[in-house]
Amino acid sequence: MGSKKASAALLDPLGLFDVRELVRIEERLSDVESSLKRLEEELSIVEPLVKLYEEYGDCYLEKTWVKNKVGDKYYYYYLKCKGEGSIKSIYLGKEGEALTIYNEVYKPLITMARRISELKARLTDLANLRSELRHYAEEIWKVSDGLRETKKKVESIQ
């Protein structure tokens, strides 16, 4: 194989390497970093929901009956939450208002708080990956610089 054919064979894969793709990767990485920063800021705003979920996320509705002075039964509702070795009882009220609080406030709030806790864990994972991605992007740039220099040297030999 002649030197021109050998050089062409070596350069062929390098010719497929497009530096513009590195610029796109760098732009996407910057977009990811900006998004992560915004998410971290937003998470700090909803941090009380995370704490609420940690404290009240494992609760259930309990219906308790009592008798009034004339002996009629009526019901009170409590939110029973498992704490550190004990169960907290939070009075919700009588049936109508208690069920409204439970179904329209507590359940949606806990659902959102649970999701925020999951997102917070994922955000931590992404933040760790961000630094790893930055490292790989820098390595890709170094390699691409080396490839361009090698290609220039080979072209000057031909």
Side-chain angles (χ1 to χ4, degrees), residues 46-93:
V46 293
E47 190 66 33
L49 268 181
V50 175
K51 290 181 179 158
L52 179 126
Y53 175 68
E54 290 169 354
E55 191 169 351
Y56 298 106
D58 194 17
C59 299
Y60 59 94
L61 188 64
E62 183 175 280
K63 179 177 169 180
T64 304
W65 64 269
V66 292
K67 287 186 179 182
N68 62 13
K69 292 180 182 180
V70 290
D72 294 334
K73 275 188 185 179
Y74 60 98
Y75 295 93
Y76 284 130
Y77 287 81
Y78 292 88
L79 194 60
K80 298 288 188 162
C81 305
K82 296 175 185 174
E84 296 174 15
S86 65
I87 294 180
K88 296 179 186 178
S89 292
I90 301 169
Y91 173 72
L92 296 180

mmCIF file of all heavy atoms in Angstrom, residues 46-93:
data_model
loop_
_atom_site.group_PDB
_atom_site.id
_atom_site.type_symbol
_atom_site.label_atom_id
_atom_site.label_comp_id
_atom_site.label_asym_id
_atom_site.label_seq_id
_atom_site.Cartn_x
_atom_site.Cartn_y
_atom_site.Cartn_z
ATOM 1 N N VAL A 46 -39.613 24.728 47.249
ATOM 2 C CA VAL A 46 -40.576 23.714 47.691
ATOM 3 C C VAL A 46 -40.004 22.775 48.757
ATOM 4 O O VAL A 46 -40.623 21.779 49.088
ATOM 5 C CB VAL A 46 -41.114 22.899 46.486
ATOM 6 C CG1 VAL A 46 -41.941 23.767 45.579
ATOM 7 C CG2 VAL A 46 -39.995 22.227 45.729
ATOM 8 N N GLU A 47 -38.871 23.115 49.298
ATOM 9 C CA GLU A 47 -38.250 22.287 50.339
ATOM 10 C C GLU A 47 -39.200 22.011 51.512
ATOM 11 O O GLU A 47 -39.202 20.907 52.058
ATOM 12 C CB GLU A 47 -36.960 22.942 50.828
ATOM 13 C CG GLU A 47 -36.130 22.060 51.733
ATOM 14 C CD GLU A 47 -35.574 20.830 51.027
ATOM 15 O OE1 GLU A 47 -35.274 20.889 49.828
ATOM 16 O OE2 GLU A 47 -35.435 19.793 51.708
ATOM 17 N N PRO A 48 -40.053 22.965 51.928
ATOM 18 C CA PRO A 48 -41.009 22.649 52.999
ATOM 19 C C PRO A 48 -41.928 21.469 52.662
ATOM 20 O O PRO A 48 -42.320 20.719 53.551
ATOM 21 C CB PRO A 48 -41.813 23.945 53.159
ATOM 22 C CG PRO A 48 -40.905 25.014 52.683
ATOM 23 C CD PRO A 48 -40.091 24.391 51.579
ATOM 24 N N LEU A 49 -42.257 21.307 51.371
ATOM 25 C CA LEU A 49 -43.072 20.150 50.977
ATOM 26 C C LEU A 49 -42.324 18.850 51.217
ATOM 27 O O LEU A 49 -42.917 17.848 51.608
ATOM 28 C CB LEU A 49 -43.438 20.240 49.492
ATOM 29 C CG LEU A 49 -44.748 20.921 49.142
ATOM 30 C CD1 LEU A 49 -44.960 20.905 47.641
ATOM 31 C CD2 LEU A 49 -45.920 20.285 49.831
ATOM 32 N N VAL A 50 -41.031 18.864 50.979
ATOM 33 C CA VAL A 50 -40.228 17.660 51.224
ATOM 34 C C VAL A 50 -40.259 17.329 52.712
ATOM 35 O O VAL A 50 -40.449 16.175 53.098
ATOM 36 C CB VAL A 50 -38.778 17.854 50.725
ATOM 37 C CG1 VAL A 50 -37.911 16.667 51.083
ATOM 38 C CG2 VAL A 50 -38.767 18.085 49.213
ATOM 39 N N LYS A 51 -40.108 18.335 53.537
ATOM 40 C CA LYS A 51 -40.146 18.114 54.988
ATOM 41 C C LYS A 51 -41.526 17.640 55.426
ATOM 42 O O LYS A 51 -41.648 16.770 56.284
ATOM 43 C CB LYS A 51 -39.732 19.388 55.719
ATOM 44 C CG LYS A 51 -38.263 19.685 55.544
ATOM 45 C CD LYS A 51 -37.835 20.917 56.270
ATOM 46 C CE LYS A 51 -36.332 21.092 56.032
ATOM 47 N NZ LYS A 51 -35.864 22.412 56.222
ATOM 48 N N LEU A 52 -42.564 18.216 54.827
ATOM 49 C CA LEU A 52 -43.925 17.796 55.140
ATOM 50 C C LEU A 52 -44.107 16.321 54.793
ATOM 51 O O LEU A 52 -44.686 15.564 55.565
ATOM 52 C CB LEU A 52 -44.932 18.645 54.374
ATOM 53 C CG LEU A 52 -46.383 18.269 54.622
ATOM 54 C CD1 LEU A 52 -47.160 19.496 55.061
ATOM 55 C CD2 LEU A 52 -47.018 17.648 53.411
ATOM 56 N N TYR A 53 -43.611 15.922 53.632
ATOM 57 C CA TYR A 53 -43.734 14.520 53.227
ATOM 58 C C TYR A 53 -42.986 13.616 54.200
ATOM 59 O O TYR A 53 -43.479 12.554 54.570
ATOM 60 C CB TYR A 53 -43.211 14.325 51.809
ATOM 61 C CG TYR A 53 -43.206 12.879 51.390
ATOM 62 C CD1 TYR A 53 -44.397 12.193 51.201
ATOM 63 C CD2 TYR A 53 -42.014 12.189 51.211
ATOM 64 C CE1 TYR A 53 -44.407 10.866 50.847
ATOM 65 C CE2 TYR A 53 -42.015 10.857 50.848
ATOM 66 C CZ TYR A 53 -43.213 10.201 50.674
ATOM 67 O OH TYR A 53 -43.219 8.886 50.324
ATOM 68 N N GLU A 54 -41.795 14.033 54.612
ATOM 69 C CA GLU A 54 -41.026 13.219 55.553
ATOM 70 C C GLU A 54 -41.762 13.058 56.874
ATOM 71 O O GLU A 54 -41.704 12.022 57.515
ATOM 72 C CB GLU A 54 -39.642 13.840 55.769
ATOM 73 C CG GLU A 54 -38.747 13.717 54.549
ATOM 74 C CD GLU A 54 -37.484 14.555 54.641
ATOM 75 O OE1 GLU A 54 -37.333 15.336 55.616
ATOM 76 O OE2 GLU A 54 -36.651 14.445 53.728
ATOM 77 N N GLU A 55 -42.494 14.100 57.278
ATOM 78 C CA GLU A 55 -43.207 14.049 58.558
ATOM 79 C C GLU A 55 -44.598 13.435 58.444
ATOM 80 O O GLU A 55 -45.028 12.696 59.323
ATOM 81 C CB GLU A 55 -43.315 15.456 59.132
ATOM 82 C CG GLU A 55 -43.806 15.474 60.560
ATOM 83 C CD GLU A 55 -43.668 16.836 61.213
ATOM 84 O OE1 GLU A 55 -43.039 17.725 60.617
ATOM 85 O OE2 GLU A 55 -44.202 16.996 62.319
ATOM 86 N N TYR A 56 -45.312 13.717 57.342
ATOM 87 C CA TYR A 56 -46.714 13.304 57.235
ATOM 88 C C TYR A 56 -47.005 12.422 56.031
ATOM 89 O O TYR A 56 -48.159 12.238 55.669
ATOM 90 C CB TYR A 56 -47.628 14.540 57.171
ATOM 91 C CG TYR A 56 -47.551 15.401 58.397
ATOM 92 C CD1 TYR A 56 -46.887 16.617 58.357
ATOM 93 C CD2 TYR A 56 -48.117 14.991 59.594
ATOM 94 C CE1 TYR A 56 -46.799 17.420 59.490
ATOM 95 C CE2 TYR A 56 -48.043 15.784 60.729
ATOM 96 C CZ TYR A 56 -47.379 17.001 60.667
ATOM 97 O OH TYR A 56 -47.305 17.769 61.781
ATOM 98 N N GLY A 57 -46.002 11.884 55.414
ATOM 99 C CA GLY A 57 -46.204 11.118 54.187
ATOM 100 C C GLY A 57 -46.755 9.722 54.394
ATOM 101 O O GLY A 57 -47.236 9.100 53.465
ATOM 102 N N ASP A 58 -46.704 9.243 55.603
ATOM 103 C CA ASP A 58 -47.164 7.881 55.864
ATOM 104 C C ASP A 58 -48.363 7.927 56.819
ATOM 105 O O ASP A 58 -48.340 7.346 57.892
ATOM 106 C CB ASP A 58 -46.013 7.062 56.454
ATOM 107 C CG ASP A 58 -46.304 5.572 56.446
ATOM 108 O OD1 ASP A 58 -47.218 5.148 55.710
ATOM 109 O OD2 ASP A 58 -45.627 4.831 57.174
ATOM 110 N N CYS A 59 -49.393 8.640 56.412
ATOM 111 C CA CYS A 59 -50.575 8.814 57.256
ATOM 112 C C CYS A 59 -51.778 8.112 56.647
ATOM 113 O O CYS A 59 -51.810 7.838 55.455
ATOM 114 C CB CYS A 59 -50.903 10.303 57.408
ATOM 115 S SG CYS A 59 -49.605 11.270 58.197
ATOM 116 N N TYR A 60 -52.747 7.857 57.472
ATOM 117 C CA TYR A 60 -53.997 7.271 56.993
ATOM 118 C C TYR A 60 -55.158 7.961 57.701
ATOM 119 O O TYR A 60 -54.990 8.615 58.730
ATOM 120 C CB TYR A 60 -54.020 5.757 57.226
ATOM 121 C CG TYR A 60 -53.858 5.354 58.673
ATOM 122 C CD1 TYR A 60 -54.964 5.127 59.484
ATOM 123 C CD2 TYR A 60 -52.592 5.187 59.233
ATOM 124 C CE1 TYR A 60 -54.824 4.758 60.818
ATOM 125 C CE2 TYR A 60 -52.436 4.821 60.554
ATOM 126 C CZ TYR A 60 -53.551 4.614 61.340
ATOM 127 O OH TYR A 60 -53.409 4.262 62.654
ATOM 128 N N LEU A 61 -56.332 7.824 57.112
ATOM 129 C CA LEU A 61 -57.533 8.453 57.646
ATOM 130 C C LEU A 61 -58.212 7.483 58.603
ATOM 131 O O LEU A 61 -58.396 6.314 58.281
ATOM 132 C CB LEU A 61 -58.470 8.810 56.482
ATOM 133 C CG LEU A 61 -59.695 9.632 56.807
ATOM 134 C CD1 LEU A 61 -59.285 11.018 57.319
ATOM 135 C CD2 LEU A 61 -60.568 9.776 55.578
ATOM 136 N N GLU A 62 -58.570 7.991 59.779
ATOM 137 C CA GLU A 62 -59.264 7.150 60.749
ATOM 138 C C GLU A 62 -60.573 7.822 61.154
ATOM 139 O O GLU A 62 -60.613 9.016 61.436
ATOM 140 C CB GLU A 62 -58.395 6.925 61.986
ATOM 141 C CG GLU A 62 -59.056 6.000 62.995
ATOM 142 C CD GLU A 62 -58.144 5.685 64.161
ATOM 143 O OE1 GLU A 62 -57.281 4.814 63.991
ATOM 144 O OE2 GLU A 62 -58.293 6.338 65.207
ATOM 145 N N LYS A 63 -61.610 7.021 61.172
ATOM 146 C CA LYS A 63 -62.956 7.495 61.536
ATOM 147 C C LYS A 63 -63.252 6.976 62.949
ATOM 148 O O LYS A 63 -63.181 5.782 63.210
ATOM 149 C CB LYS A 63 -63.938 6.928 60.517
ATOM 150 C CG LYS A 63 -65.365 7.268 60.721
ATOM 151 C CD LYS A 63 -66.152 6.648 59.550
ATOM 152 C CE LYS A 63 -67.620 6.688 59.757
ATOM 153 N NZ LYS A 63 -68.351 6.085 58.639
ATOM 154 N N THR A 64 -63.565 7.897 63.851
ATOM 155 C CA THR A 64 -63.844 7.539 65.245
ATOM 156 C C THR A 64 -65.228 8.055 65.621
ATOM 157 O O THR A 64 -65.554 9.203 65.355
ATOM 158 C CB THR A 64 -62.795 8.172 66.186
ATOM 159 O OG1 THR A 64 -61.504 7.766 65.771
ATOM 160 C CG2 THR A 64 -63.019 7.752 67.618
ATOM 161 N N TRP A 65 -66.037 7.195 66.241
ATOM 162 C CA TRP A 65 -67.368 7.650 66.631
ATOM 163 C C TRP A 65 -67.376 8.042 68.103
ATOM 164 O O TRP A 65 -66.624 7.530 68.917
ATOM 165 C CB TRP A 65 -68.435 6.612 66.330
ATOM 166 C CG TRP A 65 -68.307 5.329 67.108
ATOM 167 C CD1 TRP A 65 -67.627 4.220 66.745
ATOM 168 C CD2 TRP A 65 -68.880 5.042 68.374
ATOM 169 N NE1 TRP A 65 -67.725 3.252 67.693
ATOM 170 C CE2 TRP A 65 -68.510 3.734 68.721
ATOM 171 C CE3 TRP A 65 -69.682 5.754 69.258
ATOM 172 C CZ2 TRP A 65 -68.893 3.124 69.907
ATOM 173 C CZ3 TRP A 65 -70.076 5.147 70.449
ATOM 174 C CH2 TRP A 65 -69.677 3.844 70.756
ATOM 175 N N VAL A 66 -68.247 8.986 68.393
ATOM 176 C CA VAL A 66 -68.490 9.422 69.775
ATOM 177 C C VAL A 66 -69.998 9.634 69.926
ATOM 178 O O VAL A 66 -70.714 9.746 68.938
ATOM 179 C CB VAL A 66 -67.738 10.741 70.113
ATOM 180 C CG1 VAL A 66 -66.252 10.531 70.149
ATOM 181 C CG2 VAL A 66 -68.099 11.847 69.157
ATOM 182 N N LYS A 67 -70.455 9.680 71.156
ATOM 183 C CA LYS A 67 -71.879 9.945 71.424
ATOM 184 C C LYS A 67 -72.013 11.356 71.990
ATOM 185 O O LYS A 67 -71.203 11.782 72.802
ATOM 186 C CB LYS A 67 -72.440 8.941 72.418
ATOM 187 C CG LYS A 67 -72.631 7.564 71.850
ATOM 188 C CD LYS A 67 -73.327 6.678 72.861
ATOM 189 C CE LYS A 67 -73.552 5.296 72.274
ATOM 190 N NZ LYS A 67 -74.260 4.424 73.216
ATOM 191 N N ASN A 68 -73.050 12.021 71.551
ATOM 192 C CA ASN A 68 -73.323 13.341 72.138
ATOM 193 C C ASN A 68 -74.147 13.176 73.420
ATOM 194 O O ASN A 68 -74.405 12.047 73.854
ATOM 195 C CB ASN A 68 -73.989 14.273 71.112
ATOM 196 C CG ASN A 68 -75.323 13.760 70.647
ATOM 197 O OD1 ASN A 68 -75.893 12.833 71.231
ATOM 198 N ND2 ASN A 68 -75.858 14.360 69.591
ATOM 199 N N LYS A 69 -74.610 14.265 73.994
ATOM 200 C CA LYS A 69 -75.318 14.231 75.282
ATOM 201 C C LYS A 69 -76.616 13.434 75.225
ATOM 202 O O LYS A 69 -77.018 12.832 76.216
ATOM 203 C CB LYS A 69 -75.617 15.648 75.749
ATOM 204 C CG LYS A 69 -74.372 16.404 76.130
ATOM 205 C CD LYS A 69 -74.717 17.804 76.594
ATOM 206 C CE LYS A 69 -73.451 18.560 76.922
ATOM 207 N NZ LYS A 69 -73.709 19.925 77.367
ATOM 208 N N VAL A 70 -77.274 13.406 74.088
ATOM 209 C CA VAL A 70 -78.537 12.667 73.977
ATOM 210 C C VAL A 70 -78.321 11.228 73.527
ATOM 211 O O VAL A 70 -79.283 10.482 73.352
ATOM 212 C CB VAL A 70 -79.535 13.378 73.028
ATOM 213 C CG1 VAL A 70 -80.056 14.647 73.637
ATOM 214 C CG2 VAL A 70 -78.939 13.617 71.676
ATOM 215 N N GLY A 71 -77.077 10.826 73.332
ATOM 216 C CA GLY A 71 -76.772 9.440 72.992
ATOM 217 C C GLY A 71 -76.672 9.128 71.511
ATOM 218 O O GLY A 71 -76.528 7.962 71.141
ATOM 219 N N ASP A 72 -76.754 10.151 70.670
ATOM 220 C CA ASP A 72 -76.601 9.914 69.226
ATOM 221 C C ASP A 72 -75.127 9.781 68.866
ATOM 222 O O ASP A 72 -74.273 10.483 69.410
ATOM 223 C CB ASP A 72 -77.203 11.076 68.414
ATOM 224 C CG ASP A 72 -78.712 11.180 68.577
ATOM 225 O OD1 ASP A 72 -79.349 10.146 68.867
ATOM 226 O OD2 ASP A 72 -79.238 12.301 68.424
ATOM 227 N N LYS A 73 -74.875 8.864 67.937
ATOM 228 C CA LYS A 73 -73.502 8.681 67.457
ATOM 229 C C LYS A 73 -73.199 9.695 66.355
ATOM 230 O O LYS A 73 -74.050 9.984 65.518
ATOM 231 C CB LYS A 73 -73.326 7.295 66.832
ATOM 232 C CG LYS A 73 -73.009 6.192 67.764
ATOM 233 C CD LYS A 73 -72.688 4.952 66.941
ATOM 234 C CE LYS A 73 -72.483 3.755 67.805
ATOM 235 N NZ LYS A 73 -72.186 2.552 67.029
ATOM 236 N N TYR A 74 -72.022 10.195 66.380
ATOM 237 C CA TYR A 74 -71.526 10.978 65.257
ATOM 238 C C TYR A 74 -70.025 10.700 65.147
ATOM 239 O O TYR A 74 -69.415 10.150 66.056
ATOM 240 C CB TYR A 74 -71.857 12.475 65.365
ATOM 241 C CG TYR A 74 -71.285 13.161 66.578
ATOM 242 C CD1 TYR A 74 -70.102 13.888 66.474
ATOM 243 C CD2 TYR A 74 -71.935 13.107 67.808
ATOM 244 C CE1 TYR A 74 -69.581 14.530 67.589
ATOM 245 C CE2 TYR A 74 -71.423 13.741 68.912
ATOM 246 C CZ TYR A 74 -70.241 14.458 68.793
ATOM 247 O OH TYR A 74 -69.729 15.086 69.889
ATOM 248 N N TYR A 75 -69.446 11.078 64.015
ATOM 249 C CA TYR A 75 -68.069 10.682 63.714
ATOM 250 C C TYR A 75 -67.141 11.876 63.590
ATOM 251 O O TYR A 75 -67.513 12.933 63.092
ATOM 252 C CB TYR A 75 -68.031 9.892 62.404
ATOM 253 C CG TYR A 75 -68.764 8.575 62.506
ATOM 254 C CD1 TYR A 75 -70.101 8.478 62.137
ATOM 255 C CD2 TYR A 75 -68.130 7.451 63.010
ATOM 256 C CE1 TYR A 75 -70.788 7.280 62.249
ATOM 257 C CE2 TYR A 75 -68.806 6.249 63.128
ATOM 258 C CZ TYR A 75 -70.132 6.172 62.744
ATOM 259 O OH TYR A 75 -70.803 4.985 62.860
ATOM 260 N N TYR A 76 -65.939 11.636 64.058
ATOM 261 C CA TYR A 76 -64.832 12.573 63.853
ATOM 262 C C TYR A 76 -63.783 11.843 63.025
ATOM 263 O O TYR A 76 -63.637 10.616 63.117
ATOM 264 C CB TYR A 76 -64.188 12.977 65.183
ATOM 265 C CG TYR A 76 -64.979 13.967 65.985
ATOM 266 C CD1 TYR A 76 -65.253 13.733 67.326
ATOM 267 C CD2 TYR A 76 -65.423 15.150 65.422
ATOM 268 C CE1 TYR A 76 -65.958 14.647 68.081
ATOM 269 C CE2 TYR A 76 -66.144 16.077 66.175
ATOM 270 C CZ TYR A 76 -66.404 15.816 67.497
ATOM 271 O OH TYR A 76 -67.111 16.718 68.238
ATOM 272 N N TYR A 77 -63.054 12.600 62.260
ATOM 273 C CA TYR A 77 -61.988 12.031 61.440
ATOM 274 C C TYR A 77 -60.642 12.565 61.897
ATOM 275 O O TYR A 77 -60.508 13.753 62.219
ATOM 276 C CB TYR A 77 -62.213 12.372 59.965
ATOM 277 C CG TYR A 77 -63.343 11.576 59.363
ATOM 278 C CD1 TYR A 77 -64.669 11.964 59.551
ATOM 279 C CD2 TYR A 77 -63.091 10.440 58.620
ATOM 280 C CE1 TYR A 77 -65.712 11.234 59.013
ATOM 281 C CE2 TYR A 77 -64.129 9.704 58.071
ATOM 282 C CZ TYR A 77 -65.433 10.109 58.278
ATOM 283 O OH TYR A 77 -66.461 9.385 57.733
ATOM 284 N N TYR A 78 -59.687 11.668 61.898
ATOM 285 C CA TYR A 78 -58.321 12.017 62.280
ATOM 286 C C TYR A 78 -57.367 11.531 61.202
ATOM 287 O O TYR A 78 -57.598 10.502 60.557
ATOM 288 C CB TYR A 78 -57.937 11.331 63.600
ATOM 289 C CG TYR A 78 -58.701 11.846 64.788
ATOM 290 C CD1 TYR A 78 -59.921 11.286 65.146
ATOM 291 C CD2 TYR A 78 -58.190 12.889 65.549
ATOM 292 C CE1 TYR A 78 -60.624 11.755 66.240
ATOM 293 C CE2 TYR A 78 -58.897 13.367 66.655
ATOM 294 C CZ TYR A 78 -60.109 12.796 66.986
ATOM 295 O OH TYR A 78 -60.802 13.262 68.056
ATOM 296 N N LEU A 79 -56.294 12.251 61.053
ATOM 297 C CA LEU A 79 -55.196 11.813 60.217
ATOM 298 C C LEU A 79 -54.199 11.174 61.170
ATOM 299 O O LEU A 79 -53.721 11.820 62.108
ATOM 300 C CB LEU A 79 -54.573 13.016 59.495
ATOM 301 C CG LEU A 79 -53.639 12.736 58.351
ATOM 302 C CD1 LEU A 79 -54.350 11.956 57.247
ATOM 303 C CD2 LEU A 79 -53.092 14.038 57.787
ATOM 304 N N LYS A 80 -53.954 9.903 61.008
ATOM 305 C CA LYS A 80 -53.038 9.174 61.884
ATOM 306 C C LYS A 80 -51.707 9.013 61.159
ATOM 307 O O LYS A 80 -51.633 8.437 60.070
ATOM 308 C CB LYS A 80 -53.591 7.789 62.233
ATOM 309 C CG LYS A 80 -54.893 7.821 62.994
ATOM 310 C CD LYS A 80 -54.662 8.290 64.410
ATOM 311 C CE LYS A 80 -55.938 8.126 65.227
ATOM 312 N NZ LYS A 80 -55.690 8.150 66.634
ATOM 313 N N CYS A 81 -50.654 9.538 61.782
ATOM 314 C CA CYS A 81 -49.332 9.543 61.156
ATOM 315 C C CYS A 81 -48.343 8.796 62.037
ATOM 316 O O CYS A 81 -48.236 9.067 63.238
ATOM 317 C CB CYS A 81 -48.842 10.972 60.939
ATOM 318 S SG CYS A 81 -49.988 11.987 60.005
ATOM 319 N N LYS A 82 -47.613 7.885 61.403
ATOM 320 C CA LYS A 82 -46.597 7.127 62.133
ATOM 321 C C LYS A 82 -45.375 8.007 62.328
ATOM 322 O O LYS A 82 -44.801 8.516 61.379
ATOM 323 C CB LYS A 82 -46.219 5.873 61.359
ATOM 324 C CG LYS A 82 -47.366 4.913 61.202
ATOM 325 C CD LYS A 82 -46.994 3.749 60.328
ATOM 326 C CE LYS A 82 -48.225 2.875 60.098
ATOM 327 N NZ LYS A 82 -47.979 1.813 59.149
ATOM 328 N N GLY A 83 -45.012 8.204 63.576
ATOM 329 C CA GLY A 83 -43.840 9.021 63.893
ATOM 330 C C GLY A 83 -42.731 8.153 64.439
ATOM 331 O O GLY A 83 -42.697 6.937 64.216
ATOM 332 N N GLU A 84 -41.847 8.777 65.156
ATOM 333 C CA GLU A 84 -40.734 8.047 65.767
ATOM 334 C C GLU A 84 -41.234 7.314 67.005
ATOM 335 O O GLU A 84 -41.248 7.862 68.099
ATOM 336 C CB GLU A 84 -39.616 9.019 66.119
ATOM 337 C CG GLU A 84 -39.011 9.689 64.906
ATOM 338 C CD GLU A 84 -38.006 10.758 65.290
ATOM 339 O OE1 GLU A 84 -37.565 10.792 66.452
ATOM 340 O OE2 GLU A 84 -37.689 11.570 64.418
ATOM 341 N N GLY A 85 -41.669 6.097 66.816
ATOM 342 C CA GLY A 85 -42.125 5.276 67.934
ATOM 343 C C GLY A 85 -43.540 5.565 68.405
ATOM 344 O O GLY A 85 -44.024 4.912 69.317
ATOM 345 N N SER A 86 -44.203 6.543 67.822
ATOM 346 C CA SER A 86 -45.566 6.854 68.240
ATOM 347 C C SER A 86 -46.403 7.227 67.019
ATOM 348 O O SER A 86 -45.899 7.375 65.922
ATOM 349 C CB SER A 86 -45.555 8.021 69.235
ATOM 350 O OG SER A 86 -45.086 9.179 68.592
ATOM 351 N N ILE A 87 -47.686 7.362 67.263
ATOM 352 C CA ILE A 87 -48.598 7.756 66.189
ATOM 353 C C ILE A 87 -49.177 9.118 66.543
ATOM 354 O O ILE A 87 -49.708 9.310 67.633
ATOM 355 C CB ILE A 87 -49.721 6.713 66.002
ATOM 356 C CG1 ILE A 87 -49.118 5.405 65.513
ATOM 357 C CG2 ILE A 87 -50.764 7.232 65.032
ATOM 358 C CD1 ILE A 87 -50.125 4.293 65.299
ATOM 359 N N LYS A 88 -49.044 10.064 65.606
ATOM 360 C CA LYS A 88 -49.625 11.396 65.801
ATOM 361 C C LYS A 88 -51.054 11.377 65.288
ATOM 362 O O LYS A 88 -51.341 10.766 64.271
ATOM 363 C CB LYS A 88 -48.854 12.442 64.992
ATOM 364 C CG LYS A 88 -47.435 12.648 65.390
ATOM 365 C CD LYS A 88 -46.821 13.699 64.479
ATOM 366 C CE LYS A 88 -45.349 13.840 64.738
ATOM 367 N NZ LYS A 88 -44.727 14.811 63.839
ATOM 368 N N SER A 89 -51.943 12.049 66.002
ATOM 369 C CA SER A 89 -53.319 12.192 65.553
ATOM 370 C C SER A 89 -53.573 13.661 65.255
ATOM 371 O O SER A 89 -53.348 14.520 66.104
ATOM 372 C CB SER A 89 -54.299 11.739 66.638
ATOM 373 O OG SER A 89 -54.204 10.350 66.819
ATOM 374 N N ILE A 90 -54.044 13.913 64.054
ATOM 375 C CA ILE A 90 -54.378 15.276 63.668
ATOM 376 C C ILE A 90 -55.872 15.317 63.395
ATOM 377 O O ILE A 90 -56.372 14.622 62.504
ATOM 378 C CB ILE A 90 -53.593 15.690 62.405
ATOM 379 C CG1 ILE A 90 -52.090 15.584 62.671
ATOM 380 C CG2 ILE A 90 -53.977 17.097 61.975
ATOM 381 C CD1 ILE A 90 -51.244 15.700 61.438
ATOM 382 N N TYR A 91 -56.561 16.129 64.169
ATOM 383 C CA TYR A 91 -58.004 16.230 64.036
ATOM 384 C C TYR A 91 -58.351 16.929 62.728
ATOM 385 O O TYR A 91 -57.858 18.001 62.428
ATOM 386 C CB TYR A 91 -58.576 17.000 65.231
ATOM 387 C CG TYR A 91 -60.045 17.304 65.113
ATOM 388 C CD1 TYR A 91 -60.977 16.293 65.256
ATOM 389 C CD2 TYR A 91 -60.492 18.596 64.852
ATOM 390 C CE1 TYR A 91 -62.338 16.560 65.154
ATOM 391 C CE2 TYR A 91 -61.844 18.880 64.757
ATOM 392 C CZ TYR A 91 -62.761 17.852 64.893
ATOM 393 O OH TYR A 91 -64.105 18.117 64.792
ATOM 394 N N LEU A 92 -59.231 16.292 61.927
ATOM 395 C CA LEU A 92 -59.648 16.872 60.652
ATOM 396 C C LEU A 92 -61.059 17.434 60.691
ATOM 397 O O LEU A 92 -61.410 18.264 59.863
ATOM 398 C CB LEU A 92 -59.557 15.831 59.531
ATOM 399 C CG LEU A 92 -58.169 15.308 59.191
ATOM 400 C CD1 LEU A 92 -58.259 14.300 58.058
ATOM 401 C CD2 LEU A 92 -57.219 16.428 58.825
ATOM 402 N N GLY A 93 -61.871 16.968 61.615
ATOM 403 C CA GLY A 93 -63.227 17.495 61.721
ATOM 404 C C GLY A 93 -64.273 16.427 61.493
ATOM 405 O O GLY A 93 -64.006 15.231 61.511
#
